[in-house]
Amino acid sequence: MQTSYYPTPIMISANGHYPPRSPPPNGLLRRLTHTPRSSVERHSQIAASAEDNALAEASKHTDLWFSDGSIILRAEDTLFRVHKSQLARHSAFFRDLFSLPQPSAESADSTTASSSPTVVVNNNPALQIDTTNEVEGCSVLRLHDTSEDVENLLTALYDGPNFGKNDPTDFRMVSGILRLATKYLVDSLRTKALVHLSKAWPTSLKGWDAREDLTRADEMQSGPGMSNIYPSPADVIILAREVNAPSLLPSAFYDLSRYHYTQLFEQDDESGPSIAQLPLSNADLQRLALGKEASQHAITTLIRSMGSHSHPLLLGHHAHSHRSCRRDFSELVALATQHYLFDRERGCTDPLYVAEELGQPLYDFGQASSVDDARFGESRRSVEVSECEACARALAIWTTRERERMWKMIPLWFRLDV
């Protein structure tokens, strides 16, 4: 039997109670007319009557209602008639649930409210199948999930997952599928959802660079800083915590750390709610603050390292001191210091971006670029800053190594156990 991905037992309802048992048939009510009843029994019958009325008000899903279905799932006010075999085939939770004996309508009628039969899976409180209020001959299983999430899960089970481009709309669908796939132990669908999300929240530097290339391409059309092709990294952190997916955390925390504090904690009508209004735990807020500090220190250290004239990877290839190359590196360090540390221009909170930019010389091996260089904001390296071919190669190799080192340090920056 498979176990849940949750570190703690799943509570099926907000108050931890099972759905109330339906009242007995009218004949039994007449027989009990003169029999004293406890307050628990009276309360159970009143609650069950309310449940009956709510069931009558629920509507059938237009697509996920199969005439030959063998079980009806109810989520909020939507009914889904599906097949037990399909659920059991993909979900270990439903396979165990349906394999256990269920009470018949007659036996359920004769059971008191205090001893209403329940189903327990993996020692956790489980759902109760209502066999006394059938709809079109099918028992009803009440799910304490949103109808949208249940619809997306069932659609993926029947038709296969149809993931999009990892944009906010796609994330809303995929996150719902991932939550329920984790909750109901649909392992194959959980794996596919995590693989899809990892394209936007990767575990490798190569994957991160591919992600950033898409962002920059989108910014060329929408404008600098206006790209909205990915969801909020705070939402990704919340989801990763909820479904126990730590592989998503490093890139999500790093992306979130690139926001300025005013963007994180102050309300902005255009960018949506601030992070202060999102249910991040105090521990994750602390990780964010510590990680931002560490990333800022990484930028300072990177620029200071470039200014070291004795750095073996930058100028060590010269047999003797090369005055022009030293001058070029000094001027490059001055420009980077002014742009990223003093002016706080774009990229000042993104050490991976800074290292990438510093590793791209304005003149590739003495040949001027045919396109105006837009790095360092409105400024650019002067004509004199034209490293020799050996220095350009050394700089590119050094910054590549520094970026790899930084990427490996991200989990440590944010105190993540991955």
Side-chain angles (χ1 to χ4, degrees):
M1 182 181 296
Q2 301 186 44
T3 58
S4 171
Y5 296 98
Y6 287 110
T8 58
I10 305 169
M11 297 303 296
I12 301 304
S13 61
N15 56 12
H17 297 296
Y18 300 112
R21 182 175 61 87
S22 301
N26 293 333
L28 182 58
L29 282 176
R30 286 195 296 269
R31 290 195 298 272
L32 297 177
T33 300
H34 301 289
T35 304
R37 295 176 298 169
S38 67
S39 60
V40 174
E41 291 176 350
R42 290 194 298 269
H43 176 76
S44 176
Q45 292 175 1
I46 294 173
S49 178
E51 181 74 12
D52 292 342
N53 295 334
L55 185 60
E57 296 175 357
S59 59
K60 302 177 182 178
H61 192 274
T62 55
D63 182 46
L64 295 167
W65 183 271
F66 301 98
S67 59
D68 61 343
S70 53
I71 187 71
I72 292 178
L73 306 181
R74 180 185 175 185
E76 297 178 325
D77 293 329
T78 304
L79 301 176
F80 305 87
R81 185 171 182 176
V82 292
H83 305 86
K84 288 184 178 181
S85 58
Q86 182 75 352
L87 297 179
R89 180 171 179 263
H90 295 281
S91 166
F93 178 91
F94 286 112
R95 182 166 59 250
D96 289 344
L97 178 64
F98 297 145
S99 67
L100 296 176
Q102 300 297 321
S104 63
E106 291 76 10
S107 62
D109 292 339
S110 61
T111 306
T112 61
S114 60
S115 61
S116 179
T118 58
V119 178
V120 177
V121 178
N122 295 333
N123 296 322
N124 291 328
L127 307 179
Q128 185 182 41
I129 298 179
D130 187 356
T131 59
T132 62
N133 287 306
E134 295 183 344
V135 176
E136 298 186 10
C138 291
S139 300
V140 178
L141 178 59
R142 177 69 179 268
L143 303 181
H144 298 271
D145 309 297
T146 67
S147 58
E148 179 184 5
D149 286 352
V150 173
E151 176 185 354
N152 290 330
L153 176 70
L154 293 175
T155 300
L157 291 180
Y158 275 92
D159 302 333
N162 185 24
F163 300 143
K165 299 180 179 181
N166 269 305
D167 56 19
T169 301
D170 178 67
F171 177 76
R172 179 185 178 98
M173 176 191 69
V174 177
S175 61
I177 291 177
L178 181 56
R179 278 193 295 268
L180 297 195
T182 301
K183 180 178 181 179
Y184 297 120
L185 303 179
V186 188
D187 292 343
S188 61
L189 197 53
R190 171 185 161 88
T191 300
K192 292 177 182 178
L194 287 175
V195 170
H196 174 70
L197 289 175
S198 68
K199 296 177 182 178
W201 311 98
T203 58
S204 67
L205 180 58
K206 181 179 179 180
W208 177 262
D209 289 341
R211 174 197 196 273
E212 292 298 277
D213 288 343
L214 293 177
T215 302
R216 293 168 188 172
D218 184 69
E219 286 184 346
M220 293 181 63
Q221 299 179 350
S222 58
M226 300 300 294
S227 177
N228 191 33
I229 63 175
Y230 296 114
S232 165
D235 290 335
V236 177
I237 293 173
I238 294 170
L239 175 66
R241 293 301 189 191
E242 185 179 357
V243 302
N244 191 23
S247 62
L248 302 176
L249 291 174
S251 57
F253 267 102
Y254 181 80
D255 188 23
L256 191 59
S257 72
R258 299 190 295 178
Y259 290 79
H260 295 286
Y261 280 114
T262 54
Q263 296 174 293
L264 293 175
F265 293 102
E266 292 185 356
Q267 177 70 34
D268 188 341
D269 294 335
E270 294 183 359
S271 60
S274 67
I275 187 177
Q277 297 175 295
L278 296 175
L280 281 181
S281 67
N282 290 334
D284 280 340
L285 288 174
Q286 183 182 42
R287 290 185 181 93
L288 175 63
L290 293 173
K292 280 183 66 66
E293 182 180 53
S295 66
Q296 288 297 112
H297 181 70
I299 294 178
T300 304
T301 302
L302 178 72
I303 296 175
R304 185 185 298 119
S305 297
M306 288 191 63
S308 175
H309 291 174
S310 60
H311 200 296
L313 291 179
L314 296 180
L315 294 173
H317 54 274
H318 287 299
H320 303 285
S321 176
H322 200 291
R323 181 177 299 178
S324 62
C325 288
R326 292 185 181 278
R327 180 196 61 199
D328 290 349
F329 277 111
S330 297
E331 189 168 336
L332 176 59
V333 170
L335 284 172
T337 301
Q338 181 68 37
H339 182 77
Y340 294 118
L341 302 184
F342 294 159
D343 295 341
R344 306 287 295 170
E345 296 292 343
R346 179 187 178 187
C348 66
T349 59
D350 190 347
L352 292 175
Y353 174 84
V354 173
E356 182 182 17
E357 291 296 289
L358 293 179
Q360 299 178 11
L362 178 62
Y363 292 91
D364 293 331
F365 313 130
Q367 299 298 321
S369 174
S370 60
V371 180
D372 289 340
D373 191 81
R375 293 178 297 114
F376 302 117
E378 297 300 325
S379 64
R380 54 181 292 174
R381 302 185 197 179
S382 65
V383 176
E384 288 78 12
V385 184
S386 53
E387 305 96 334
C388 68
E389 180 177 344
C391 285
R393 290 185 181 276
L395 180 60
I397 293 173
W398 178 72
T399 53
T400 297
R401 292 179 179 176
E402 286 298 302
R403 295 183 80 242
E404 290 286 355
R405 183 187 62 81
M406 288 179 185
W407 181 260
K408 294 178 181 178
M409 290 295 295
I410 288 177
L412 297 179
W413 291 351
F414 296 96
R415 277 61 169 180
L416 299 173
D417 298 326
V418 295

